[in-house]
Amino acid sequence: MNYLLYWSTTFALACFVLGLTFAAVRMLRGPAAVDRVLALDTMYINGMLILLVLGLQFNSSLYFDIALLISLFGFVGSVAMAKFLLRGEVIEP
């Protein structure tokens, strides 16, 4: 069972790294700011999933805590970017 878990997590890790790479390319080449924000959000999600897979592979709970922090910061960053794109400011007076 550990052999199957090791290879499945390695495959998932490779897929998430590939997705992270594609999102980084989209963020650098994105034609509009909305595309770049969406690519950044995708990078947060892929980074979080990479840490979760590493936590499963190494059987450590430290990765889960770091993934939770990345997801929280990613959500706040995405909301701030979306609000800035829609209204032009993040904090309203």
Side-chain angles (χ1 to χ4, degrees):
M1 186 64 179
N2 287 334
Y3 184 73
L4 179 65
L5 181 66
Y6 173 76
W7 283 109
S8 61
T9 54
T10 303
F11 177 72
L13 194 61
C15 290
F16 290 137
V17 167
L18 189 65
L20 185 70
T21 304
F22 287 149
V25 169
R26 175 53 66 189
M27 191 176 81
L28 292 175
R29 296 180 56 194
V34 177
D35 295 328
R36 290 187 172 129
V37 169
L38 186 61
L40 185 65
D41 193 37
T42 304
M43 287 177 67
Y44 275 121
I45 291 171
N46 280 330
M48 178 190 67
L49 290 174
I50 286 170
L51 286 175
L52 289 176
V53 169
L54 286 175
L56 283 175
Q57 196 169 22
F58 295 127
N59 200 13
S60 173
S61 64
L62 178 65
Y63 292 101
F64 297 110
D65 296 336
I66 296 171
L68 179 65
L69 285 176
I70 285 178
S71 67
L72 285 174
F73 289 134
F75 175 73
V76 171
S78 296
V79 168
M81 288 284 193
K83 197 168 181 179
F84 179 75
L85 288 176
L86 286 176
R87 298 183 183 167
E89 58 187 78
V90 176
I91 299 172
E92 296 178 3

